[in-house]
Amino acid sequence: MSKKENIQEEEIDNEQKTVQIEENQEVEVEIVKEEPTAEELIQAEKDKFLRLFAEFENYKKRTSRERIELFKTAGQELMTSLLPIVDDFERALPHIEEGQELEELRKGVVLIYQKFYNTLEQKGLSKIETVQGDMFDAEIHEAITQIPAPSEDLKGKIIDCVEKGYKLGDKIIRYPKVVIGQ
């Protein structure tokens, strides 16, 4: 090796060391810049705490709303299973009225029906009133069939209510089954 080559190698080594030292200094400068202050750390923790607290408050509100809704409709299954009994009472009452000798029986059945239905009403059950001539609304009524309308003004309207509908609170638990005019 010649002196010239040694000098060149030393210059290259020096340049590499200089570049490496400069890079190390830049890294140190960056590290210094990345360190958050105590106030910034406190602010970040405070922000995390507030977000967590707000999330917990939303959770409490949501679960309380769900619980209230559950209590309102807790008896839905029971009410739905009792509705056929109400229907049977309503079908039986007109037939009992035909016999004069069965007046006492009719009065007893009417009394039982009224007491039973009043108890259901106290628990939040209410009828959905459906009258002949009302407009058909698919969100409230269930159309079981369509027949030719007896008159022009009954087209698209309810002609007959086959089965009454009921609500428990604000929720419809059985839609009224209706016949509509075509």
Side-chain angles (χ1 to χ4, degrees):
M1 268 194 182
S2 69
K3 285 185 176 182
K4 202 177 197 181
E5 290 176 354
N6 283 339
I7 293 174
Q8 285 178 348
E9 282 182 20
E10 285 179 18
E11 286 177 5
I12 291 173
D13 284 341
N14 287 339
E15 284 179 26
Q16 288 177 349
K17 288 179 182 177
T18 306
V19 169
Q20 198 172 22
I21 290 171
E22 287 175 359
E23 287 177 358
N24 287 343
Q25 288 175 350
E26 287 176 10
V27 169
E28 288 176 12
V29 170
E30 289 176 12
I31 292 173
V32 170
K33 289 181 182 177
E34 289 181 10
E35 270 188 47
T37 65
E39 289 178 9
E40 289 174 344
L41 286 172
I42 291 172
Q43 189 62 32
E45 290 300 317
K46 197 177 201 181
D47 185 50
K48 284 182 188 177
F49 172 74
L50 288 175
R51 289 179 188 274
L52 184 63
F53 184 74
E55 188 177 320
F56 181 68
E57 285 297 316
N58 290 338
Y59 168 76
K60 282 184 3 184
K61 289 177 186 175
R62 184 178 68 246
T63 55
S64 67
R65 278 194 309 265
E66 290 172 354
R67 182 182 296 158
I68 289 170
E69 184 65 29
L70 180 65
F71 285 136
K72 282 183 180 178
T73 59
Q76 178 178 346
E77 187 177 327
L78 173 65
M79 293 292 187
T80 304
S81 64
L82 292 177
L83 290 178
I85 298 169
V86 172
D87 293 338
D88 291 342
F89 266 121
E90 290 175 349
R91 281 191 288 269
L93 289 175
H95 296 294
I96 292 175
E97 292 175 2
E98 294 171 0
Q100 295 298 333
E101 65 277 351
L102 302 174
E103 185 63 27
E104 295 300 318
L105 175 63
R106 187 186 72 74
K107 286 181 182 177
V109 171
V110 168
L111 182 65
I112 294 169
Y113 169 73
Q114 289 173 344
K115 187 175 183 180
F116 180 66
Y117 191 76
N118 288 338
T119 303
L120 293 177
E121 282 182 332
Q122 288 174 356
K123 300 299 178 186
L125 187 74
S126 62
K127 284 184 187 176
I128 299 174
E129 294 299 324
T130 313
V131 182
Q132 180 180 0
D134 285 350
M135 284 298 296
F136 174 74
D137 185 359
E139 292 183 13
I140 300 172
H141 305 105
E142 182 180 340
I144 56 172
T145 187
Q146 291 183 349
I147 62 170
S151 63
E152 284 295 315
D153 61 326
L154 289 178
K155 282 189 176 182
K157 295 185 178 180
I158 297 172
I159 294 178
D160 188 25
C161 181
V162 177
E163 191 175 73
K164 295 178 182 176
Y166 293 93
K167 293 183 349 181
L168 183 60
D170 293 333
K171 186 177 180 185
I172 298 175
I173 61 173
R174 186 171 83 183
Y175 292 89
K177 294 181 177 151
V178 296
V179 176
I180 58 175
Q182 189 175 19

